[in-house]
Amino acid sequence: MTAETFERLYRAYFTQVYRYTLRLCGDEQTAQDVTADTFFRAMTQLDSYREAAAVSTWLCAIARNMWLSKLRRERRMLPKDPLPDATVPDGLQERVEASEARDAIDRLPPPMRDVFLMRVDGGMAFADIGRLLGHTTNWACVTYHRARERLKRELGEEA
């Protein structure tokens, strides 16, 4: 891969991959590290890319594997936000609600959480998600909608 080709790939997909890894990791520094590792791996393994999947799908799959490898290496649990204080000063309510939503997403079972994050944060198509996780497009779509319904119930929103 030429430097110019890699630069185009990086510019085109950095934001999408970073947003996805940020949601997986939960902190900016780790997401930056995982994203950098993802693009390095992509650069060294371009020959493993199959054109059947979108480039973004391939990169998000690498990012997911890099994150899981990092977790295994560090033998730690996914980071959680601290519980919000019961009394919230004005202006922080949205942050508390966002924290509650992140916690609810983190409590989803792995297939639901993965599909939900790939769709929402990764912007991936259901066909790509299904292919990446070894299932059908319909499975990915149904799993995503079940995750949404569970989140709505848990966060007290009407379905």
Side-chain angles (χ1 to χ4, degrees):
M1 171 185 288
T2 67
E4 186 177 305
T5 303
F6 180 73
E7 186 175 341
R8 279 197 311 260
L9 180 81
Y10 182 82
R11 287 179 189 226
Y13 296 102
F14 173 82
T15 302
Q16 185 176 2
V17 172
Y18 175 74
R19 284 183 60 217
Y20 177 66
T21 58
L22 180 60
R23 185 62 198 108
L24 283 175
C25 302
D27 82 52
E28 292 178 13
Q29 184 58 51
T30 305
Q32 290 171 2
D33 293 344
V34 171
T35 301
D37 292 344
T38 298
F39 280 98
F40 179 75
R41 174 74 49 92
M43 181 177 68
T44 61
Q45 296 186 346
L46 186 62
D47 58 336
S48 71
Y49 171 65
R50 291 183 224 108
E51 291 188 24
V55 174
S56 60
T57 302
W58 178 64
L59 290 169
C60 285
I62 292 172
R64 181 174 179 262
N65 290 336
M66 298 301 289
W67 170 238
L68 293 174
S69 293
K70 184 173 180 57
L71 285 178
R72 281 191 295 273
R73 278 192 316 272
E74 295 177 1
R75 297 174 193 232
R76 64 180 177 85
M77 299 297 295
L78 290 170
K80 299 282 187 189
D81 291 334
L83 291 174
D85 189 285
T87 59
V88 180
D90 290 337
L92 293 181
Q93 186 61 35
E94 288 180 10
R95 289 179 62 191
V96 169
E97 290 170 5
S99 175
E100 290 170 356
R102 283 192 304 274
D103 288 344
I105 292 167
D106 288 343
R107 286 191 298 272
L108 288 171
M112 283 185 179
R113 183 179 57 240
D114 292 343
V115 170
F116 186 82
L117 292 175
M118 287 177 185
R119 179 71 177 174
V120 173
D121 289 336
M124 294 172 65
F126 290 121
D128 293 334
I129 295 169
R131 192 176 312 114
L132 177 64
L133 297 177
H135 293 283
T136 65
T137 300
N138 190 53
W139 174 87
C141 186
V142 168
T143 302
Y144 170 77
H145 287 288
R146 286 180 181 164
R148 278 188 54 197
E149 293 304 310
R150 183 179 283 194
L151 289 170
K152 284 179 181 180
R153 281 193 310 274
E154 190 167 327
L155 295 171
E157 297 176 13
E158 291 186 22

